[in-house]
Structure formats: structure tokens, C-alpha cells
Amino acid sequence: MASAALSSTTPPMLHQIHHSNMDVDKLTNQIFSILENKFLFGYQDHHHSLNNHPLSSPAKVRILSIDAAPSTHALLAAKTLLHFQSILRRKSGNPNAQIADFFDVVTGAGAGGVLAALLFTRGKNGSPMFSADDSLKFMVDNCRQLTHYSPSRLFRRPSKADKVLKKLFGDLTLKDTLKPVLIPCYDLRTGAPFLFSRADALEMEGCDFRMAGVCRATVADRAMELKSTDGTKKILAVGAGGGMSNPTAAAITHVLNNKQEFPLCRGVEDLLVLSLGNYGESHSHSVAPNRAMSSPASFLKIAADGAADMVDQAVSMAFGEWRRTNYVRVQGNGRVGGGEEKRRMLRIVEVDEILGEKNVESILFKGKKMVEFTNMEKVEMFAGEVIKEQERRNNSPFPTVVLKQHSTNIYSISPRRSSSATTLSTLSSY
């Protein structure tokens, strides 16, 4: 997996967060030693807790992760974000608050990557291009076009989706996103996942791609060639639905490695992660077994669902005692049955029903159990944690996030006040 490239130039920071290279190396080794144990065994040893480090801070980096899913099923993530936006506006007292105002990093795969792009790409007035309301409407209106290809061809022809995304994003690139954006695909030239990254784009011209192409690459079920804006980098992309259907771990790795933009983040205790899945388990129980297993698409879906579930289990274990407050997973239980048309498209009313249900949680090596809270209750509680972090930043002299800017490639220290009349220079550095 590609990781974000970091600049060799140290950004201007406050004196309290300066430290030697030796100290950074030692701390990084400590972080990944603890993370490794947490992922495997739910590590709980407080003797080596990073909270005892002199640079530790109550600051939290806020991550939004959206799973890959057939675009027709991305309605669950889109509707969840609409509810989340409504809760944030109510709790913050700001009727114009946007999803991008309350997250520092977004990652999305497949249709989730399209949602991430809609919510975190800069619009003409410097604010996010789409609100959660607009993104839900876009997915409803365009969901079928995003993955409509000729099944008889390995390489796709230009489709309606190309025209829709080109008209929407124009010549906007990864540099025009408001916050760190991570969107994966699979590169057939290298035989490895490729991660489109705002951090990489700001560091190296050959890593900047147009947003329309990025969105097409992450949902593509046929090979498509994509070039960087300067033409020096070429990838042969197919969608992220198989190998990177749940990009949460990629986002966590990006934050923990990126000490320039996230200087105070030491481990999972310094993260707030909202992970949005899709409708849940395979619907093969509603189809005859011989039909369910006869299609390559069925096998791909099983692999994608399994990969997403395993990432969720591992990440959940890694959070250990912070699992309830710092990591929230929203996902359906795969209960939607009925005809083929109904299975292809979750209607809005069904999405609301899923949000009101308790989902089944998979626990690594321990099977499955029903969670304590409904999806909406978890979203409400997580919104409370996000608001607390925003209030802490409003009253703190220390920057939690130091983001690189598009125009000058310099660093901007996060402001301590939010505004409904946000400009590019302020919104991108919360």
C-alpha cells in the first residue's frame, strides 16, 4: 500500500512540540510496537502507555472512513452522514456546519470514495463543494451511472459517469481538497494497491490527479488508464472494492506516520474514527445456493465483505479500552431481501430502518455478537465526542493539525475559531 510522502522540510511549529530526530525514532518504534500488540491481542499494558510521554496531549485527530460498496448501496453511508451533519449543527449551534468542518482526514473506497470527494473538495466559494444533503441527492440521482459498463469488455469505454464526474469536478485535482483525502484503487501495472493522497499531491507533482479521474478509478470494475496532471505518472486502475474495501487502517497508518501534519498524534488514544460500512453481510441467503456461487461477482462480494469485516475487527481490537468512545462502526446486518431490484437498491426508508437497528459486531477470534447501541445512538454519541474535541481546540493554544496549503505548499496552524463563512485557508487547517 502506498503511504503518504512526507516533506523533508520541517514545518514551523510551536517550541513545545520541537524534539530531536532520535526522540522521534524512539517514539515511532514505541507506537508501532504497541499497535502491533493491540491489533493481535488487544494490548492493555499501561506501563508503556504513550500518555506518560512528555509530549502527550488530549488532542484527537478526527478520521472519517467510508467503505467501498455498490454505489446503489452507498445510500447507507450518505444518509448516515446527513443525520450526522444534522446532529453536529444542533450540538454546535451552527446551522451551516458541514461534515468537513469536523474531520481532519477522510478516506473512502469505491462509492465511498466518491462521497469523500463530494464532501471534501473545495467549491467556488472556498467551502466544501457538497453538503451532506447534496451528496445524498447526487448518489440517488447518479448511483447507477457510476458503475455502468459493458460487461463484454476488459477495458471500459467512456460512460455517462465520465461525463457526470467531469462536469462536476472539471479540472479540480487532489490539491483542491480541503483536508487530507485518501482514496484507493488497484494498479494493474504494479500489481499493488494505489492510494490517491492529498499529502502526496502537495509534495510531488507526479502524484496529483484530477478528482474526476480519481473517482472513476476507485469505482471502476474494468481497467482504465489514468495519468497524473503532469503526465509523468500512469496507472492502470481498477476499483478498490476487492482489496481495499475498508480503508480505515490506511487512514490510521497515514496519520500515525505523518508527523508534520499531525504532530501530537501518538497512538489510537489520540484518534476519533467514524467508520461507515454498507448494508452488511452477503444477501446470498435470499438466492438459491447454486446461483449465489455461480457468478464471479458473488465471489468478489464475499471477498470484499470479508476483507472489510477483518479490517473492522482488527482496528476495533487495536483501540482496546478506547473502543467505545474513539472508534465507531456503522453497518447494516444484510437483512434486505426480496426481488433483484430491491436487493440492488436500498430505498431511503429502509436505510432509516437500518440506522435504527443494532448491528452485529464481529470480534476477532471470538465470533459475532449484537452490539449494545443502535447505529443512530452510536452516531449521536460520536458526534458528542467530535464536538468536545472542537471545543477543546477552540480554547487551546496548541495546534492539533498543521496542514499543508495548496497555493504556497506551506503549513497552516489550525485556527481556534470556526466560521460559517469559511475560506480555503481556514477550513483546510482545523
Side-chain angles (χ1 to χ4, degrees):
M1 181 187 302
S3 61
L6 302 179
S7 171
S8 60
T9 304
T10 303
M13 297 181 183
L14 299 177
H15 176 70
Q16 287 85 344
I17 60 174
H18 277 300
H19 50 277
S20 67
N21 290 334
M22 184 177 298
D23 190 26
V24 172
D25 292 340
K26 181 179 179 181
L27 184 59
T28 300
N29 289 335
Q30 185 183 9
I31 287 171
F32 284 98
S33 176
I34 292 175
L35 276 177
E36 182 180 36
N37 281 281
K38 282 182 177 180
F39 268 93
L40 293 176
F41 309 114
Y43 187 69
Q44 298 290 333
D45 187 354
H46 296 281
H47 178 70
H48 297 291
S49 174
L50 293 174
N51 288 331
N52 296 325
H53 192 277
L55 294 178
S56 64
S57 165
K60 301 288 190 295
V61 175
R62 304 161 300 184
I63 298 173
L64 172 62
S65 177
I66 311 173
D67 276 17
S71 55
T72 49
H73 288 120
L75 295 182
L76 177 58
K79 192 64 184 291
T80 300
L81 289 171
L82 178 58
H83 283 300
F84 191 68
Q85 176 184 269
S86 177
I87 296 169
L88 290 174
R89 289 178 173 180
R90 170 169 50 85
K91 287 181 176 288
S92 68
N94 179 4
N96 299 310
Q98 305 276 18
I99 294 295
D101 297 345
F102 291 89
F103 285 97
D104 306 304
V105 180
V106 64
T107 183
V114 177
L115 273 174
L118 295 176
L119 293 166
F120 284 79
T121 300
R122 174 175 54 87
K124 292 181 180 179
N125 61 353
S127 61
M129 177 181 288
F130 274 26
S131 65
D133 317 57
D134 297 329
S135 65
L136 175 60
K137 185 177 186 303
F138 178 87
M139 296 307 296
V140 170
D141 293 343
N142 299 281
C143 56
R144 294 192 183 190
Q145 297 180 20
L146 291 178
T147 53
H148 181 70
Y149 301 108
S150 171
S152 62
R153 293 179 176 273
L154 173 63
F155 291 88
R156 66 177 184 84
R157 288 178 170 178
S159 66
K160 293 181 180 180
D162 291 285
K163 297 178 182 178
V164 169
L165 293 170
K166 177 63 177 176
K167 181 179 180 181
L168 179 65
F169 290 106
D171 290 326
L172 294 176
T173 74
L174 285 165
K175 290 182 179 181
D176 295 305
T177 52
L178 296 163
K179 303 284 182 73
V181 171
L182 303 165
I183 299 177
C185 70
Y186 191 85
D187 183 7
L188 294 177
R189 292 187 189 277
T190 61
F194 184 87
L195 196 61
F196 297 103
S197 167
R198 176 184 187 269
D200 286 349
L202 290 174
E203 291 292 341
M204 297 173 289
E205 197 67 33
C207 291
D208 191 24
F209 292 82
R210 288 181 174 82
M211 291 305 298
V214 170
C215 290
R216 294 300 294 123
T218 196
V219 299
D221 66 353
R222 297 290 186 272
M224 60 170 288
E225 186 174 76
L226 191 63
K227 297 180 181 179
S228 60
T229 54
D230 68 351
T232 61
K233 177 72 174 178
K234 297 179 182 179
I235 63 173
L236 191 60
V238 290
M244 292 187 67
S245 53
N246 183 342
T248 307
I252 292 175
T253 302
H254 172 83
V255 171
L256 292 180
N257 277 281
N258 191 342
K259 298 304 179 188
Q260 293 183 332
E261 292 189 300
F262 310 104
L264 298 182
C265 187
R266 308 304 174 198
V268 293
E269 58 268 46
D270 296 330
L271 299 175
L272 288 174
V273 179
L274 176 61
S275 176
L276 303 181
N278 49 62
Y279 50 80
E281 299 171 350
S282 173
H283 296 359
S284 59
H285 61 271
S286 61
V287 184
N290 61 330
R291 290 183 60 194
M293 299 302 294
S294 62
S295 167
S298 299
F299 287 103
L300 180 60
K301 185 183 185 308
I302 292 171
D305 287 351
D309 214 26
M310 289 183 67
V311 171
D312 172 44
Q313 294 170 41
V315 170
S316 180
M317 287 192 68
F319 273 83
E321 64 183 283
W322 296 281
R323 187 181 307 159
R324 286 177 174 269
T325 57
N326 291 30
Y327 177 71
V328 167
R329 173 77 169 173
V330 173
Q331 182 168 310
N333 291 321
R335 60 166 178 77
V336 179
E340 184 65 24
E341 178 65 21
K342 187 175 182 180
R343 287 196 300 272
R344 282 203 311 264
M345 184 71 179
L346 290 180
R347 295 179 301 184
I348 296 296
V349 62
E350 293 167 334
V351 171
D352 285 330
E353 290 175 1
I354 291 173
L355 288 172
E357 293 178 346
K358 297 179 180 180
N359 68 290
V360 175
E361 180 182 53
S362 297
I363 304 176
L364 202 60
F365 311 127
K366 296 181 181 179
K368 295 177 179 290
K369 71 172 184 178
M370 186 71 71
V371 299
E372 183 179 355
F373 302 102
T374 67
N375 283 317
M376 275 305 300
E377 287 171 339
K378 290 190 290 184
V379 169
E380 180 90 24
M381 289 185 289
F382 187 82
E385 294 297 321
V386 168
I387 294 294
K388 287 179 185 177
E389 169 60 18
Q390 189 66 30
E391 292 173 348
R392 186 205 63 77
R393 294 187 188 189
N394 290 344
N395 299 302
S396 173
F398 300 102
T400 302
V401 180
V402 188
L403 295 187
K404 287 170 282 189
Q405 299 302 297
H406 172 21
S407 57
T408 59
N409 201 23
I410 62 173
Y411 291 80
S412 174
I413 302 221
S414 63
R416 294 186 291 276
R417 289 282 184 269
S418 60
S419 169
S420 58
T422 308
T423 63
L424 174 62
S425 60
T426 58
L427 180 60
S428 59
S429 53
Y430 272 85

